[in-house]
Amino acid sequence: MFQNLLQRFPFRKLVKFVITGGIALSIDAGVYYFLTRCEDFYYLWARTLSLSVAIVWSFLVNRLWTLHATEGDIRWQAAKFIIVIGSTSLLTLAFMHIGVTILNLHDFSVLFAVAVFTTLINFSGHLLWSYTEKGR
């Protein structure tokens, strides 16, 4: 049973998702760094903007390269993608607030730690729901 599960697990898609996510995280961190260190944005506003830029890039690359989901309705896929990523983004902002404001941790430490956690949630949500056919 376990061996059958391992054979069916989409490792190639997971690797592509991690690569795509790593680049999205770099975009996210770069925009966040610029806004907080160069433009003096409040960290939660900066995080919201940096996540938004990374989300758009991530949606397009995951659709075209990671999951090859070009057959479905892009509007329906985008709506489901936004629900999944929006949920984990809110979770990210909550953890940023707890880590930075309450626990006084370094903002980049929290940013990267939370990214690892949310990657697994996002991969599952996008693979199993975001890029599936309408009605599934």
Side-chain angles (χ1 to χ4, degrees), residues 13-111:
K13 289 180 181 180
L14 178 61
V15 169
K16 286 180 160 185
F17 189 82
V18 169
I19 291 168
T20 302
I23 295 169
L25 180 59
S26 298
I27 292 168
D28 181 9
V31 171
Y32 178 80
Y33 180 86
F34 175 77
L35 293 174
T36 58
R37 297 335 191 250
C38 301
E39 296 297 321
D40 200 32
F41 270 59
Y42 177 62
Y43 79 94
L44 288 178
W45 288 118
R47 187 73 171 113
T48 301
L49 290 172
S50 67
L51 277 170
S52 298
V53 172
I55 286 168
V56 170
W57 187 87
S58 182
F59 170 74
L60 294 172
V61 173
N62 278 314
R63 183 175 194 270
L64 298 172
W65 182 63
T66 307
L67 300 172
H68 301 286
T70 57
E71 297 297 317
D73 179 2
I74 191 170
R75 294 168 299 175
W76 184 247
Q77 290 173 343
K80 293 191 294 182
F81 184 91
I82 289 169
I83 290 169
V84 171
I85 203 79
S87 300
T88 57
S89 294
L90 290 174
L91 187 64
T92 295
L93 291 173
F95 281 124
M96 283 291 289
H97 174 73
I98 291 166
V100 174
T101 305
I102 297 172
L103 300 176
N104 294 316
L105 299 172
H106 191 273
D107 57 347
F108 271 92
S109 298
V110 178
L111 186 150

